[in-house]
Each structure stands twice: as C-alpha cells, then as structure tokens.
Amino acid sequence: MYEIVKKKELAPDVKLFEVSAPLVAKKAEPGQFVILRPDEKGERIPLTIADFNRERGTITIIFQEVGKTTKKLGYMEKGNKILNFVGPLGCPSEIKDYGTVVCIGGGIGVAPLYPIAMALKKADNKVISIIGARNKNLLILEKEMQEISDELYITTDDGSMGHHGFVSDILKKLIDEGRKIDRVFAIGPVIMMKVISDITRGHGLKTIVSLNPIMVDGTGMCGGCRVSVGNEIKFACVDGPEFDAHLVDFDSLMRRNKRFLKEEKIAMNE
Amino acid sequence: MPVKKEKQPMREQDPKERIKNFREVPLGYTKEQAVEEAKRCLQCKDAPCMQGCPVGIEIPAFIESIKEGRFEDAINEIREKNSLPSVTGRVCPYEVQCEGVCTLGKIGEPVAIGRLERFVADLERKKGIRAPKKAKPTGKKVAVVGSGPAGLTCASDLAKKGHEIVVFEALHEPGGVLLYGIPEFRLPKKILHNEIDHIKQLDVQIREDIVIGKTLTVTDLLEKFDAIFIGTGAGLPMWMGIPGENLNGVYSANEFLTRVNLMKAYKFPEYGTPIEIGDRVATIGAGNVAMDCARTALRLGAKKSYIIYRRSREEAPARAEEIEHAEQEGVIFRFLTLPTKYTGDDQGHVRRMECLKMELGEPDESGRRRPIAIEGSEFTLDIDTVIVAIGQRPNPLIPQTTRDLEITKWGTIKTDESGRTSMKGVFAGGDIATGAATVILAMGAGKRAAESIDEYLRKNVT
Ligand SMILES: Cc1cc2nc3c(=O)[nH]c(=O)nc-3n(C[C@H](O)[C@H](O)[C@H](O)COP(=O)(O)OP(=O)(O)OC[C@H]3O[C@@H](n4cnc5c(N)ncnc54)[C@H](O)[C@@H]3O)c2cc1C
Ligand SMILES: Cc1cc2nc3c(=O)[nH]c(=O)nc-3n(C[C@H](O)[C@H](O)[C@H](O)COP(=O)(O)OP(=O)(O)OC[C@H]3O[C@@H](n4cnc5c(N)ncnc54)[C@H](O)[C@@H]3O)c2cc1C
Ligand code: SF4
Ligand code: SF4
Ligand code: FES
C-alpha cells in the first residue's frame, strides 16, 4: 500500500498527489511513469512521474479527472492508501546539453513536461517553454515552469491569459523569427503533438513527444500500448513513452485511444 | 478380472450451460471413481510413467494409496515433489507426459494420472492444507524473480531446505500465466490462491509491484541476496506483421486474457477494466492459448468464435482435451487458413479479414509439414474482433538491463542443465530459458535450479 502524503488541487479536476513509494523514488528519472491501481476492483492506469524526492521517498503525480478511475483517485485524501503503485516504468528522457530547447506542454501535459524541462535546464540548456490550456483556470505549474525556464510563454484557447490561441502559434513565431532551436520536446493532447510535429518536420527540427496510449501491465507483456513508429510496432511502455515525433503515426494513436469509448461511458454512469 | 480399457469418464458442465458462465468445466472424480480408476494401474516395476513426469512424482505409489483409500498419503507423496498439484492436475499436458508413456496406453487408454492427481489435491483443499515441513534456517537468502510456476516451485523447494526466500513479482498478484493467462473455467483462481497460500506458509515472502530491471536491478539484488533465480517467463506477444494489426478490435492473446483474467473484465463494470467484444471473433493460432481465447470469447457473448490455423488439426499444438472442449462449445475451426490482411471501417475498427487457403507440403525443421498457400484461393471473412495467439517470446526486461547475462539469439537466458547462467550466483529456468513451453516443464526447471542453488549456497558457506 502506498500512502498519499500530500494532496493539492491545481485546477478544477486537476489534482496533485505526493505518494510514499521509496523504491520507485530511488530509481525515478524524468520521462518515466508509474502504473497504479486505486483499489481491488480498479483499473491499472499510467501516470507520469511529475517529480520525485529520493530523501523523502516520494513520487509526485498530477492527474486530470477524465473518467472513472481518475475520478475515484480524485476522491482519495491525504493519508489514504493506493493499493498498487509500480514503477518507474518506461525509458528516461535523453537529457543532454543540446543548446537551446523548446519545451511545449498542453493541458495536463505540462505535468510530465516539468521534470524534463528542469533536467534540461540542469544540463545547461537554454530552456524556452510554451505552456497552454483551454482557459486560465486550467493552466497548471505556471510558477514552477517560470522558475526553470529562461523564457516562458503562456497561451489559452479563450485568451483569458497570455496569448489568445494555441501553443503551436508561439512555436511558429519563434521559428519565423529565426530563433536558434536545437531540439523540441512536446507533451500534451495527441492532436497538439501532431500539429507541433507537422510544423517542425518542415524545418528539420528534431522533436520528441511522449505518447499516452491505453496501457494495462506496463511491462511489455500485453501489447495494448503498441504504437506505430517508423512503420514498426513499438510498445510505448517499454520502448517509450518518448519517441521521435516525425516517425509517429498520430492518427492511429488517436484512433486507438478511443478503443473503449463506449465502455468508458458505461463505467462513468455506474 | 481384466483391466478396463477406458478411463473413468470425467463429469463435466453441459456445453450449452457452460458457455454462459466462467465456472470450471470438468467437475472432478468422485471417491468411487478415483478408486476404480486407481485399480487400473498395473504397478509396473520400472514405472515408465515416472520418466514422463518432469518433477518425478512417485506415480505408482500415490495411485496405490488411492486404491487403498489412503487419500492423505497419496497427496503427501505428490507434494514431496510437486508444490502445485491442483494446478498440474488440471493443466498438465499429461497425454504427452506421464500418461503418454503409461504401459496401459499400449492396450487402451492410459491410467488417468492427471485426474487422480487433481482428485486428491481437491480433497486435501476441502479439508484444509496443513503447513508443510521446513528445515532449520540456513541463514542464506535467495531472491526469486517472477511468480509463475517456475518461480513458485523454486521458492517452495528452497524454503523447505531452510533458506530465506523473497519472490519479486511485477504484477499486483502472484501466479504468472496461471493467473493472468489461463482462464477461470480451466483453473479457478481460488484454487491457485490456495496453492500460493500453501507456499506462503513456508515463510516465503512475495513482493508484488516490483519490476526487476526497473524498480530494482539484478545487481541490486546481488547485494542483498546470496543467490538469484530468474523465472520471468515468455510474456512478449508476437505479431504476424500483416496490414491492419493495429486496428481497434485486434488484441494480442495476452492483452485479451489479461483484461479478462487478471483484471476481471468479465465482471465489468463492477470491475473497472473494460473489454470490447464483437459478434464474430477470430482467434489466430491453435495452441492452448488460442483455445483459451476462443472459448473466453464465447463466454463474453460472441455469437461466432473461429479458430484460424494455417496447418491442419494434427499439427495443432493445444492439448487434445482443449480442442475437444472448444469443439463441444461450438468454436468453429478453420484449419489450413492463413490471414493475410485485416481491414476496418471508417472508425478504424476491424471488420473483415482476408485469408488464403493452405495445403501441407514437405516437413520443415520442426518436423511438421510446411503449409503452402494455394494460388487463387483468397477469400474474406466478416469479423469484428481478432485475437492474435501465435506465440510469445521471452520477456526482454531483465536481459536488456543486465549486461553480464548471456542471452541466446532467441532472446532466452542461456543456462546449463541445472539452471546456472553466465553470472555467478544467478540461475534461471522456465519459459525465460526455454522459450514458451508448459507449466510442468517450468516447474521441473524451477526444481532443478533449486537443487543447484542449494548446492551452491552450501559450498559457499564460510
Ligand atoms: C505513459 C502515460 C503517462 C500518462 N501521464 C498522465 C499524467 O501525468 N496525468 C494525467 O492526467 N494523465 C496521464 N495519462 C493518461 C491517463 O493514464 C488517463 O487519463 C487515465 O488512464 C484515464 O482513466 P479513467 O478511468 O479516469 O478514464 P476513462 O474514462 O477510462 O478514459 C478516458 C481516456 O483516457 C485514456 N485511457 C483510458 N484508460 C487508459 C489506460 N489504462 N491507460 C492509458 N490511457 C487510458 C483513453 O484515451 C480514454 O479515452 C498518461 C498516460 C500514459 C500512457
Ligand atoms: C493462455 C495460456 C494457456 C496456457 N495453457 C497451458 C496449459 O494448459 N498447460 C500447460 O502446461 N501450459 C500452458 N501454458 C504455458 C504455461 O503457462 C507456461 O509455459 C508457464 O506458465 C511458464 O512458467 P514460468 O514460471 O516460466 O513463467 P510465467 O508463468 O510466464 O511467469 C512469469 C512471471 O514473472 C513475472 N515477471 C516478468 N518479468 C518480470 C520482471 N522483470 N520483474 C518481476 N517479475 C517479472 C511475470 O509477471 C509473471 O508473473 C499456457 C500459457 C498461456 C499464456
Ligand atoms: S505433474 Fe503432470 S506429468 Fe507429473 S504426474 Fe502430474 S500430471 Fe503427470
Ligand atoms: S505406467 Fe501406467 S500402469 Fe504402469 S505404474 Fe505407471 S500409471 Fe500404473
Ligand atoms: S502496457 Fe502492456 S505491453 Fe505496454
């Protein structure tokens, strides 16, 4: 059992937990994730490691309540225990001094982006961050991102804060201004990652995305998380979750993420 | 009185009923039937049957005990060698193991060794299993990685010898394929839990949610343990690499069975994990795994459940009993058929498969006749779920993260007869060393490894 030692609401329907999981904390690296199961009848769901503290032996997760399992998790309070919590899973991000990196996070995607951007900063990169949300209330980790970024841009779909529009608008602007960019990291809704990827492809700008297919075991055993990358089948849980954006078949990922739409609705109405 | 040529028949749930539930299909022998069956044994001096059992159960002895109504003696004799008798009594491919070499098999049906094993194991469970005997502590610690039949057997044998054992399991429950793969109607989970509790009574500690290679590495374990056994199985699903395998509605057998068995999707939405099943389901392959999938599909409400296999019935690797059960339940067999492509609707959901008819040519390296496509034999089949059950490869996580461990070109961990790997103090066995095989072969490997680990630990006593 894994105790929730801290709970914080970051935005409506977005919660942060700090969970006591010493073994996971000892090995965790940016870019990796955990799989948890809230209780006996619950589903196993993957969540990115948004932060870790090796001394305290804790892992921070940030999640959006989108369905039954994340809602159920949202009801849990400080002091409650999560039944299963396994990790760190997946491959860590490749952190190096690339020069100038652009880190783009959309919606809840800012949570997994944060530790990567921080590690890139520590590795002496110049970090330009672009974070966006549907509106001001849904924007998360703005202060944290500010602290670790050399430049921070904010966008909202409705214009309630920062640039009125999409994160991709800012990226286009930076490229058009001829800014030197050595690598792009983009995490967010699949459609956002696809748009970013289409923009950078034309400029030969290497782009890394973190994919979020439906998972079960997270150990390479079920193949449910398979994605098509460079026309090869890859298992996101062991080969990823990060891949070269220009090789990813985003359309197939979007389709596969709707595999259980009907069942998910049934579960929510339970 | 001449011996009866046939086995005592097994009572079973009616096929029409059983496809509506997940309860066990064979119902087991009654006491009378077990004694009758035991009387058929000739008590051969050379006991060829024992040669056919990878864990070396004293078969004539336990059968003699049943014949004389000493059921407790019978189970004790079995437990000497086999720590999961109610499992093997259900899923062992006995027709090619112990029963395959039984003397009686020459004149009729062999003695129903598997069913007798199951009978005494079930009887014992009803009475409550007694704590097994244990040697005095040796002070040595062994880490067992993976809680499938190989790991559990190795753990239990080493614990009986007085070593301290910790089993590390990646999933949230122990059992390996016995838990997530083999369905409830063939191996009720209650029975598996019971066998595992029995092993826990030997003070074997089982730690779930720990992925070796990720949460801890083999090197980490070597710092805290005197020896390591790796029994991580062959869990990596294989694909055919044909167009359309990424469509929605196409599952690997592992995903399909894991959702249903481990996550209990058959009780969705009471349990959170969903499964989506269409009216027409095609399972590709004809091994035990494929039969389990095709039969599970029926129980989840499929109207038509096909087995698609590129060779003929004779070559099908599943146990004879599984194929019979599948047939009784109405699974439709399409032998000599090769899928070449899946196509979907505008939502990206699979709706059709294209196939070729095959014929058998000369035998290949495996000794089985090679299937050859018949020109111009293309046809399509309307389907809305596909389950790919064409085999599994060894789990790569440990090989990938343990540099000093020698691996074969098939991805298995290289071991000698007794389970030693290229790393000192590290042993391996079961599907991770042999490639996908059987429960009893994995148990045999776990047992041999336990013996050589014990020897290794005693030699290293300082
Ligand atoms: C590697 C990885 C990291 C992730 N990190 C985060 C994170 O940091 N924060 C966050 O809020 N979300 C994250 N997600 C997504 C998160 O796992 C899903 O939102 C969650 O599983 C939804 O479950 P549910 O029962 O609440 O919703 P449901 O109603 O079941 O599903 C809503 C949607 O979530 C997706 N989903 C459903 N089940 C799963 C599953 N078992 N695995 C993956 N996706 C699923 C589907 O696309 C579905 O349409 C991550 C996903 C992956 C693969
Ligand atoms: C659906 C199905 C039906 C079958 N039917 C039969 C049958 O009727 N009769 C028969 O004899 N055989 C059958 N088999 C084959 C048989 O189940 C296997 O040969 C046997 O289970 C292998 O045992 P094992 O202990 O080597 O591995 P497994 O049973 O695969 O167990 C390995 C365990 O290790 C865990 N693990 C893997 N990697 C790690 C890691 N890095 N860290 C920690 N833990 C890890 C896994 O989660 C798993 O629990 C069937 C197989 C399947 C899939
Ligand atoms: S364990 Fe399997 S091979 Fe051995 S006696 Fe029992 S059924 Fe036969
Ligand atoms: S070979 Fe058959 S008949 Fe002979 S002892 Fe073994 S079980 Fe009995
Ligand atoms: S989640 Fe099962 S293989 Fe990746």
Side-chain angles (χ1 to χ4, degrees):
Chain A
M1 301 279 264
Y2 305 83
E3 188 178 339
I4 300 166
V5 295
K6 182 174 147 192
K7 177 179 179 179
K8 203 170 136 191
E9 188 161 323
L10 299 185
D13 295 341
V14 177
K15 306 222 157 95
L16 174 152
F17 282 176
E18 197 177 320
V19 181
S20 171
L23 285 181
V24 187
K26 214 165 159 188
K27 286 273 158 63
E29 296 288 347
Q32 292 187 295
F33 63 95
V34 296
I35 285 202
L36 60 79
R37 190 172 70 130
D39 54 39
E40 194 54 48
K41 293 184 178 177
E43 199 176 353
R44 289 170 69 98
I45 62 159
L47 293 173
T48 309
I49 297 173
D51 206 353
F52 51 85
N53 187 314
R54 300 207 207 281
E55 285 82 56
R56 278 207 302 276
T58 59
I59 295 285
T60 300
I61 49 173
I62 296 176
F63 59 94
Q64 185 165 24
E65 298 177 6
V66 293
K68 182 173 172 182
T69 314
T70 43
K71 280 237 153 58
K72 206 190 250 180
L73 207 57
Y75 286 125
M76 295 181 83
E77 295 297 338
K78 181 180 165 187
N80 288 164
K81 289 183 173 134
I82 297 172
L83 184 56
N84 302 105
F85 193 93
V86 55
L89 301 171
C91 304
S93 309
E94 209 182 311
I95 304 293
K96 290 203 286 223
D97 184 2
Y98 296 102
T100 303
V101 294
V102 176
C103 294
I104 308 173
I108 190 76
V110 181
L113 185 70
Y114 171 64
I116 300 171
M118 179 158 59
L120 286 165
K121 181 71 209 162
K122 273 196 199 134
D124 282 339
N125 288 279
K126 173 169 181 178
V127 176
I128 304 176
S129 301
I130 313 171
I131 60 173
R134 282 207 309 279
N135 62 50
K136 182 175 146 203
N137 293 334
L138 295 176
L139 197 76
I140 57 166
L141 301 182
E142 179 205 335
K143 259 211 255 34
E144 286 80 355
M145 287 299 289
Q146 182 85 59
E147 270 165 32
I148 54 151
S149 306
D150 294 281
E151 289 173 37
L152 176 74
Y153 298 89
I154 290 170
T155 71
T156 48
D157 297 4
D158 67 352
S160 52
M161 192 175 172
H163 167 77
H164 184 166
F166 299 126
V167 286
S168 47
D169 303 343
I170 306 284
L171 176 68
K172 256 194 235 144
K173 197 179 98 206
L174 294 175
I175 294 175
D176 290 344
E177 285 169 357
R179 298 281 298 265
K180 171 181 166 296
I181 301 172
D182 299 296
R183 188 166 282 225
V184 175
F185 290 81
I187 311 182
V190 182
I191 186 69
M192 177 207 102
M193 294 191 283
K194 184 183 171 178
V195 168
I196 301 284
S197 170
D198 287 342
I199 294 173
T200 56
R201 183 182 287 114
H203 298 274
L205 238 177
K206 177 111 173 189
T207 303
I208 304 296
V209 286
S210 178
L211 304 184
N212 58 344
I214 295 177
M215 295 187 174
V216 185
D217 58 300
T219 66
M221 181 269 276
C222 77
C225 65
R226 66 191 184 278
V227 287
S228 169
V229 180
N231 284 323
E232 271 180 65
I233 291 186
K234 297 276 180 195
F235 290 1
C237 69
V238 286
D239 302 322
E242 289 179 13
F243 293 99
D244 179 342
H246 300 150
L247 299 177
V248 172
D249 179 349
F250 289 103
D251 294 334
S252 131
L253 175 61
M254 272 187 264
R255 268 202 317 270
R256 285 186 62 75
N257 273 352
K258 294 191 192 127
R259 281 204 288 160
F260 298 105
L261 218 55
K262 203 172 75 209
E263 290 76 14
E264 285 154 6
K265 284 207 189 100
I266 298 174
M268 272 305 282
N269 296 331
E270 257 289 280
Chain B
M1 199 177 64
V3 286
K4 288 207 186 84
K5 285 218 167 60
E6 276 98 43
K7 290 179 181 177
Q8 283 288 315
M10 186 70 137
R11 295 169 304 142
E12 285 176 355
Q13 253 202 88
D14 184 329
K16 281 206 265 326
E17 273 311 306
R18 73 189 191 223
I19 59 167
K20 295 183 215 145
N21 66 55
F22 273 82
R23 289 197 304 276
E24 197 177 8
V25 169
L27 302 172
Y29 277 169
T30 60
K31 274 186 195 169
E32 294 70 32
Q33 275 184 305
V35 172
E36 272 308 303
E37 184 61 23
K39 283 185 190 156
R40 293 179 66 226
C41 173
L42 305 172
Q43 293 293 319
C44 314
K45 284 239 152 48
D46 53 342
C49 49
M50 280 180 66
Q51 310 295 317
C53 174
V55 294
I57 294 178
E58 304 272 345
I59 297 171
F62 99 74
I63 295 183
E64 181 79 357
S65 304
I66 295 181
K67 189 172 124 191
E68 292 168 8
R70 292 179 287 107
F71 302 131
E72 240 184 87
D73 290 351
I75 191 64
N76 290 340
E77 271 143 11
I78 294 172
R79 281 207 179 270
E80 287 275 310
K81 298 286 169 63
N82 178 339
S83 35
L84 303 165
S86 54
V87 172
T88 49
R90 287 174 163 82
V91 305
C92 223
Y94 15 81
E95 71 259 29
V96 295
Q97 300 288 344
C98 52
E99 295 183 18
V101 286
C102 165
T103 314
L104 261 190
K106 295 193 182 107
I107 54 162
E109 288 185 340
V111 177
I113 303 169
R115 292 175 183 176
L116 289 174
E117 188 170 304
R118 172 188 158 143
F119 165 77
V120 282
D122 286 356
L123 200 65
E124 177 198 41
R125 195 177 48 257
K126 279 178 209 134
K127 290 197 177 144
I129 299 173
R130 279 175 301 123
K133 277 198 291 290
K134 208 183 146 173
K136 71 175 201 304
T138 62
K140 296 279 168 187
K141 288 181 79 173
V142 182
V144 170
V145 185
S147 62
L152 289 177
T153 302
C154 187
S156 128
D157 279 19
L158 285 171
K160 283 184 198 155
K161 293 182 201 288
H163 305 301
E164 189 183 331
I165 311 297
V166 184
V167 179
F168 294 94
E169 170 55 50
L171 294 174
H172 57 255
E173 264 186 63
V177 168
L178 306 178
L179 172 79
Y180 74 73
I182 302 183
E184 182 76 17
F185 57 83
R186 235 167 26 94
L187 178 63
K189 299 300 159 255
K190 209 174 61 209
I191 287 171
L192 176 64
H193 292 157
N194 215 283
E195 292 285 17
I196 291 174
D197 285 347
H198 196 241
I199 292 171
K200 281 188 183 158
Q201 285 180 7
L202 288 159
D203 296 325
V204 169
Q205 215 197 106
I206 302 185
R207 299 201 51 191
E208 295 90 354
D209 296 336
I210 295 186
V211 184
I212 302 302
K214 292 286 176 188
T215 320
L216 293 167
T217 60
V218 170
T219 322
D220 293 335
L221 293 180
L222 277 171
E223 280 171 19
K224 296 218 172 85
F225 294 88
D226 301 297
I228 299 176
F229 174 76
I230 302 175
T232 46
L236 183 72
M238 300 203 323
W239 302 96
M240 289 179 65
I242 60 175
E245 266 180 332
N246 268 0
L247 288 169
N248 292 356
V250 182
Y251 297 90
S252 75
N254 275 359
E255 183 185 2
F256 183 75
L257 292 171
T258 300
R259 284 182 178 273
V260 179
N261 298 327
L262 176 70
M263 304 310 299
K264 301 199 169 64
Y266 66 96
K267 293 190 187 162
F268 177 86
E270 182 197 347
Y271 282 74
T273 304
I275 188 104
E276 188 256 348
I277 188 120
D279 286 343
R280 289 154 308 193
V281 179
T283 301
I284 319 299
N288 288 321
V289 184
M291 299 307 141
D292 284 346
C293 293
R295 297 173 67 196
T296 298
L298 284 175
R299 284 162 174 79
L300 291 173
K303 298 205 170 69
K304 282 204 163 118
S305 179
Y306 296 98
I307 285 277
I308 312 280
Y309 183 49
R310 63 192 177 124
R311 302 180 198 248
S312 74
R313 186 186 179 118
E314 282 72 63
E315 289 83 20
R319 294 169 65 214
E321 188 181 313
E322 303 314 324
I323 300 186
E324 273 161 36
H325 279 150
E327 274 181 332
Q328 290 165 4
E329 291 170 9
V331 170
I332 305 160
F333 286 80
R334 291 289 188 108
F335 291 112
L336 293 167
T337 302
L338 179 76
T340 54
K341 186 182 177 178
Y342 306 108
T343 50
D345 57 21
D346 54 2
Q347 304 292 309
H349 196 288
V350 68
R351 292 297 169 211
R352 246 173 323 282
M353 64 192 270
E354 293 178 17
C355 303
L356 275 176
K357 287 232 182 287
M358 311 295 277
E359 61 190 357
L360 292 180
E362 295 298 306
D364 62 12
E365 317 84 64
S366 72
R368 294 180 301 179
R369 293 175 64 196
R370 192 194 301 271
I372 307 167
I374 302 175
E375 234 175 280
S377 65
E378 294 83 0
F379 68 101
T380 62
L381 208 58
D382 287 342
I383 36 112
D384 27 38
T385 301
V386 173
I387 305 163
V388 182
I390 57 167
Q392 282 99 235
R393 282 202 300 262
N395 283 345
L397 262 184
I398 290 188
Q400 272 168 10
T401 52
T402 317
R403 236 184 297 132
D404 298 336
L405 203 58
E406 220 179 300
I407 308 301
T408 70
K409 64 176 187 221
W410 298 281
T412 53
I413 297 178
K414 210 168 184 171
T415 66
D416 67 8
E417 268 296 287
S418 57
R420 271 187 215 94
T421 69
S422 58
M423 277 173 87
K424 188 165 178 275
V426 180
F427 300 74
D431 283 3
I432 187 69
T434 55
T438 62
V439 171
I440 193 62
L441 288 174
M443 290 174 64
K447 194 162 206 70
R448 280 196 308 279
E451 266 157 36
S452 61
I453 292 172
D454 182 56
E455 192 190 301
Y456 169 81
L457 293 175
R458 288 180 197 282
K459 270 197 201 135
N460 281 271
V461 174
T462 42

